[in-house]
Amino acid sequence: MRSLEKIVFKPFVDGYYDVENQLPEYIMNLAEKRFESERARKQKAFTSIDSFMEYKRTVRRLFLEAIGGLPEEKCPLKPESTSIIEREKYRVEKIIYQSLPDFYVTALLYLPKGFSKPMPAVLFLCGHTREAKSSPIYQRTCIDLARNGFVVLAIDPPGQGEILQYWDSKTGESPVGWGTREHSYEGLQCTLTGSNIARYFIWNAMRGLDYLCMRSEVDPERLAATGNSGGGTQTAYMMLLEDRLRAAAPCCYITSRDAYIKTGQPHDAEQNIYGAIKNGINYDDFICLFAPRPALIGAAAYDFFCIEGTLQSYERAKMAYKLFKSEDKVSMVIGEHTHGLRDPLRRAVVRWFSKHLRGEDPRIRNDQIETEEPSLLNVTRSGQILGDKPHAKTIFHLNNDYLRSVKPSRSRIEDEDSLRLYVSSLREKLSCLLAFNPKRMKILPRIIEKGEVDDLTYEKIFFFSEPGIVLTSIMLYDHSLEGEAPTVLMLLEDGTNGAAGEEEKIKDFTAKGYRVFILDVRGIGGVRTRAINSRMFNTFHGTFFKICFDSFMLGTSLLAMRVYDVTRGVDYLNMREDVDRSEILLYAKRKMAICGYLASAIDERISRVHLEDMLVSYENLVATRLYDRLWDEEIVIHGFLRYFDLVDILPALHGREYLLINMRDGMGRLASKRCIEEYWINTVKEHYPVISDLEERIKCRS
């Protein structure tokens, strides 16, 4: 057994503190403060129609800013009808349209028979099913609506049905996985550009309404939207943003953030809106701000979208509708079943739209609805847009186009004066981006164990970074070392639990007279958080995915919190009489390298920086179609690339020693010489010539 394995922290910080819950509890406590502010703000906003409308404008603006806005121009839809299925009471047209140039949407248009005048139309938005618009449970709702005199357009969401964004013609599958996996995979790249994959869902839906308005069979003054689960999400977003809707019915989605966050369940990337908790954008807003237009909340009593939150949102919605004296225009139906657009909800949706868009009860009420084999409803020949149109754009391409439109131009730093101004501005922008700077409490360190392991002395230490957040650490040094000495602040992905794997590196440092201080930032090592849901820790929708996205909704990030923890580690080292404060070297590896890099840019007390296996560039990650999930949400800050890339932080280290060892590209491979030249060397030569020795500081040990 490697010797350093003997000194890792035991559970509960060796019995001193229960830390397994501290990170999720900390997130929930931050959120609760925001929920309190939200409640007070809404109570004030709902006192008059004027204040209500001002509140609506604010929420809409904040929501649009969070998703990166919407495209400014509408391209020609260029609709294609690929075939028609005839049935006794309706027909189904198979439609393809372009919501953006070369970005295709596959859809089914249900047209009732026996109606001569323009009819009301419903945009049907699908939840997270593989077959999407062709799923039998969704077919039943569309058919029921069509038999009752509604034109229905059911569209595939990106990553589902016939528009898998990563479909491979050789395997006939997506290497990323369909639905939520694709959404969250692309979602990380969208987060870096300061947008959200939701903008493409919303735009596809808005263009779906444009298509309906083109049809002579449709009355454009009687448009509605409905959907279930993820389709309920899309419906809710449309309720906030689309003024053409005259009625809506989101199903199995509306709950409340304060109820849902406590479940530990994750949301898909398009359902996590940056700053939503910070800005008080809650589920009820989608209903409230639709007032006074008719809105039906479809809920399942036994849903994982907890019913307690649904009831809370419904009560708030009634307050909004009361302002307009339209209490009869908002309602809720609760099916006694688990998650899904089951018959009770389907019937309620048909009844709601019949009442409010046709002024009558449903004409046909029996539930004998025969559906088609899903494959028979394929709009494309191959079953996938990328099979029929291999050069079609995907969200990956659109996000890169978006990045080109928002990324800043670089200045040129040629002398020390301009460098000082640049670094001052950089630190200010970086602090705003991190959006995390709690009051720095006095550190009261506890050295709970001291002993010998091989030829090294070790100390096990913990202290509070801020109230409620314990950080653990281990200090290691040669047993003969005395007095003040240079110190390495070491950041590892597994924290102190990973010390044994770095034993050679640690002993190399200690042999050179360094003290080595391995710090556990929040969530790892001796303060590793417990699992908060049934998924694995570091995977889609797992514990850290959930914590990261909750942090994004709070307007900050887990990375920002960890950067702060690193600076608190420096605070602690500066307290110790045996640490040479002028010689603090930060060594960080892989995901922790970005954390250490940003901390070093902010904290000048770190005199030297060695970063190993760090991502070469966020822009490279966005430009890598199939990136390695080594780079997950733990390294992400929303909108980072709107301000700078990693190379643009480098001037903040000017005058200090630094090494960049084995930089990695988006695929997790050693970055090629060409890649390093593109993202670092050429950029520095062109824009930061004051940095003259970069090539000497980039090393490759492999």
Side-chain angles (χ1 to χ4, degrees):
M1 183 172 74
R2 290 172 291 188
S3 57
L4 296 188
E5 289 181 348
K6 303 173 185 177
I7 60 171
V8 298
F9 282 91
K10 301 177 185 69
F12 310 106
V13 190
D14 289 4
Y16 279 80
Y17 269 92
D18 180 1
V19 294
E20 290 186 338
N21 295 317
Q22 70 171 2
L23 183 50
E25 285 181 356
Y26 179 84
I27 297 291
M28 280 193 272
N29 288 337
L30 288 181
E32 184 52 45
K33 292 176 183 177
R34 294 294 185 177
F35 296 143
E36 288 176 10
S37 299
E38 175 200 338
R39 288 189 282 270
R41 189 163 58 251
K42 284 179 177 172
Q43 191 170 16
K44 183 178 179 181
F46 289 11
T47 56
S48 72
I49 290 178
D50 286 344
S51 60
F52 176 86
M53 296 306 293
E54 178 60 31
Y55 175 74
K56 179 176 180 176
R57 287 189 288 271
T58 299
V59 171
R60 185 180 281 191
R61 174 180 58 80
L62 290 170
F63 183 91
L64 285 169
E65 288 175 358
I67 66 169
L70 293 171
E72 295 180 359
E73 295 183 8
K74 292 183 175 180
C75 70
L77 289 169
K78 299 181 180 178
E80 308 169 38
S81 179
T82 61
S83 67
I84 296 175
I85 296 176
E86 296 285 354
R87 291 294 176 257
E88 181 183 354
K89 297 184 182 297
Y90 62 91
R91 70 176 186 271
V92 183
E93 286 192 26
K94 301 179 180 181
I95 304 295
I96 301 173
Y97 63 86
Q98 297 181 43
S99 69
L100 291 164
D102 299 320
F103 185 57
Y104 296 91
V105 181
T106 44
L108 298 173
L109 183 70
Y110 292 78
L111 290 162
K113 292 181 177 179
F115 293 85
S116 57
K117 296 179 180 179
M119 293 168 281
V122 176
L123 179 67
F124 187 88
L125 300 161
C126 299
H128 294 117
T129 57
R130 172 66 177 81
E131 293 153 337
K133 67 185 183 314
S134 303
S135 176
I137 197 168
Y138 294 154
Q139 285 186 55
R140 277 194 284 274
T141 301
C142 295
I143 293 168
D144 202 356
L145 285 165
R147 295 193 312 182
N148 281 283
F150 292 90
V151 176
V152 183
L153 183 70
I155 66 175
D156 280 330
Q160 296 167 238
E162 295 179 77
I163 48 177
L164 296 185
Q165 302 292 284
Y166 294 91
W167 188 75
D168 186 329
S169 60
K170 294 179 181 177
T171 64
E173 299 290 341
S174 165
V176 172
W178 66 272
T180 57
R181 293 184 67 84
E182 277 203 2
H183 301 161
S184 295
Y185 193 80
E186 294 161 317
L188 179 142
Q189 294 173 316
C190 290
T191 300
L192 282 169
T193 65
S195 63
N196 187 297
I197 191 175
R199 76 191 299 264
Y200 304 106
F201 285 73
I202 293 165
W203 192 246
N204 284 358
M206 287 182 166
R207 300 313 311 276
L209 288 186
D210 290 341
Y211 176 71
L212 283 171
C213 290
M214 290 173 58
R215 299 290 302 217
S216 61
E217 302 94 336
V218 170
D219 178 356
E221 295 302 316
R222 291 187 290 166
L223 300 176
T226 190
N228 184 76
S229 190
T233 307
Q234 297 169 65
T235 302
Y237 294 169
M238 291 287 281
M239 292 170 74
L240 177 64
L241 301 176
E242 183 53 85
D243 293 330
R244 290 177 292 179
L245 291 180
R246 292 293 176 264
C251 296
C252 291
Y253 170 67
I254 299 297
T255 180
S256 70
R257 296 204 192 281
D258 31 342
Y260 192 79
I261 195 173
K262 295 169 185 173
T263 69
Q265 295 179 80
H267 263 330
D268 205 5
E270 78 276 8
Q271 297 171 313
N272 291 291
I273 303 301
Y274 182 77
I277 297 175
K278 174 186 175 184
N279 295 321
I281 302 175
N282 212 325
Y283 294 80
D284 61 86
D285 285 303
F286 303 118
I287 310 298
C288 292
L289 302 183
F290 197 65
R293 292 169 287 172
L296 173 71
I297 299 171
Y302 319 138
D303 206 336
F304 50 80
F305 285 101
C306 41
I307 193 67
E308 293 82 3
T310 312
L311 295 168
Q312 174 186 316
S313 290
Y314 180 49
E315 289 304 312
R316 285 187 180 173
K318 287 194 291 187
M319 291 170 54
Y321 277 77
K322 188 175 181 179
L323 270 178
F324 294 88
K325 296 181 172 54
S326 300
E327 296 95 320
D328 61 326
K329 298 289 180 62
V330 64
S331 188
M332 178 171 65
V333 60
I334 302 176
E336 298 294 322
H337 52 77
T338 55
H339 186 77
L341 191 54
R342 310 293 176 81
D343 289 343
L345 299 189
R346 172 180 57 78
R347 288 192 292 264
V349 168
V350 175
R351 188 163 54 248
W352 186 257
F353 289 156
S354 294
K355 175 182 177 181
H356 291 286
L357 296 181
R358 297 194 62 85
E360 60 187 27
D361 289 333
R363 297 183 176 191
I364 302 172
R365 294 188 178 88
N366 72 73
D367 290 334
Q368 299 304 311
I369 300 174
E370 294 184 10
T371 60
E372 309 291 338
E373 182 66 30
S375 61
L376 296 178
L377 293 175
N378 281 348
V379 174
T380 59
R381 294 186 305 276
S382 65
Q384 288 293 323
I385 278 290
L386 289 177
D388 286 22
K389 302 176 187 291
H391 300 296
K393 284 190 173 183
T394 64
I395 290 173
F396 167 75
H397 301 106
L398 298 178
N399 189 50
N400 275 276
D401 291 343
Y402 180 80
L403 175 58
R404 284 187 282 274
S405 74
V406 298
K407 74 176 183 178
S409 57
R410 292 183 169 103
S411 53
R412 183 174 170 86
I413 311 299
E414 298 186 88
D415 54 54
E416 295 293 331
D417 288 338
S418 57
L419 176 67
R420 279 192 293 274
L421 289 173
Y422 175 83
V423 171
S424 175
S425 174
L426 182 152
R427 286 179 177 148
E428 184 177 344
K429 290 177 183 176
L430 187 55
S431 293
C432 289
L433 266 180
L434 294 172
F436 188 78
N437 189 26
K439 185 177 180 180
R440 302 177 89 85
M441 64 184 287
K442 182 180 179 181
I443 289 178
L444 300 173
R446 281 80 146 174
I447 300 175
I448 59 173
E449 184 176 321
K450 187 172 182 177
E452 303 285 329
V453 55
D454 290 348
D455 55 351
L456 298 179
T457 298
Y458 71 88
E459 300 172 19
K460 296 173 77 172
I461 308 154
F462 75 88
F463 57 87
F464 282 87
S465 177
E466 56 172 313
I469 294 294
V470 172
L471 305 183
T472 45
S473 57
I474 294 175
M475 181 75 87
L476 293 152
Y477 48 92
D478 189 277
H479 63 82
S480 64
L481 184 66
E482 296 181 357
E484 189 178 275
T487 301
V488 177
L489 195 169
M490 183 172 281
L491 303 174
L492 304 173
E493 284 185 315
D494 291 330
T496 52
N497 289 349
E502 297 296 329
E503 191 162 327
E504 184 178 341
K505 169 70 67 178
I506 291 166
K507 290 186 174 180
D508 182 54
F509 277 125
T510 57
K512 293 175 181 176
Y514 286 90
R515 300 183 191 278
V516 175
F517 178 68
I518 308 169
L519 177 67
D520 291 329
V521 294
R522 64 190 72 193
I524 65 171
V527 290
R528 184 172 176 82
T529 190
R530 66 173 178 84
I532 58 175
N533 59 40
S534 60
R535 283 84 167 179
M536 291 185 290
F537 271 86
N538 298 99
T539 189
F540 288 121
H541 309 125
T543 292
F544 282 117
F545 178 99
K546 160 73 172 168
I547 287 172
C548 285
F549 272 107
D550 285 348
S551 301
F552 295 154
M553 288 196 289
L554 281 162
T556 182
S557 62
L558 179 58
L559 176 56
M561 296 176 191
R562 287 174 168 175
V563 168
Y564 174 81
D565 290 343
V566 175
T567 68
R568 296 297 276 156
V570 178
D571 287 343
Y572 169 68
L573 292 178
N574 272 258
M575 293 172 59
R576 289 185 60 125
E577 294 182 356
D578 58 1
V579 169
D580 182 348
R581 299 174 189 175
S582 67
E583 285 289 330
I584 295 177
L585 185 157
L586 183 141
Y587 172 87
K589 195 167 184 179
R590 286 172 46 119
K591 287 191 289 189
M592 284 297 131
I594 292 178
C595 180
Y597 183 46
L598 298 182
S600 300
I602 291 171
D603 198 329
E604 292 185 280
R605 295 174 299 175
I606 298 169
S607 58
R608 290 186 286 161
V609 184
H610 291 188
L611 306 171
E612 190 160 353
D613 294 323
M614 186 174 78
L615 175 67
V616 70
S617 157
Y618 280 134
E619 186 171 351
N620 175 261
L621 179 56
V622 169
T624 302
R625 181 172 176 268
L626 292 173
Y627 65 89
D628 194 307
R629 278 291 293 175
L630 156 69
W631 313 122
D632 60 18
E633 290 73 21
E634 292 179 66
I635 66 154
V636 169
I637 294 172
H638 183 270
F640 195 93
L641 286 170
R642 284 173 171 261
Y643 295 88
F644 24 63
D645 200 353
L646 294 174
V647 65
D648 303 302
I649 306 297
L650 190 61
L653 301 187
H654 185 62
R656 291 183 269 176
E657 179 199 309
Y658 59 88
L659 288 176
L660 305 171
I661 306 159
N662 290 354
M663 283 197 285
R664 302 275 170 175
D665 65 15
M667 297 182 73
R669 306 169 305 189
L670 280 175
S672 66
K673 180 179 179 182
R674 181 178 178 181
C675 181
I676 293 171
E677 286 177 347
E678 177 182 356
Y679 290 106
W680 285 79
I681 294 171
N682 294 343
T683 300
V684 167
K685 284 180 178 177
E686 183 176 353
H687 297 283
Y688 311 122
V690 70
I691 301 171
S692 58
D693 56 352
L694 175 62
E695 292 180 69
E696 300 170 16
R697 298 177 183 271
I698 297 177
K699 307 291 183 182
C700 182
R701 288 180 178 160
S702 298

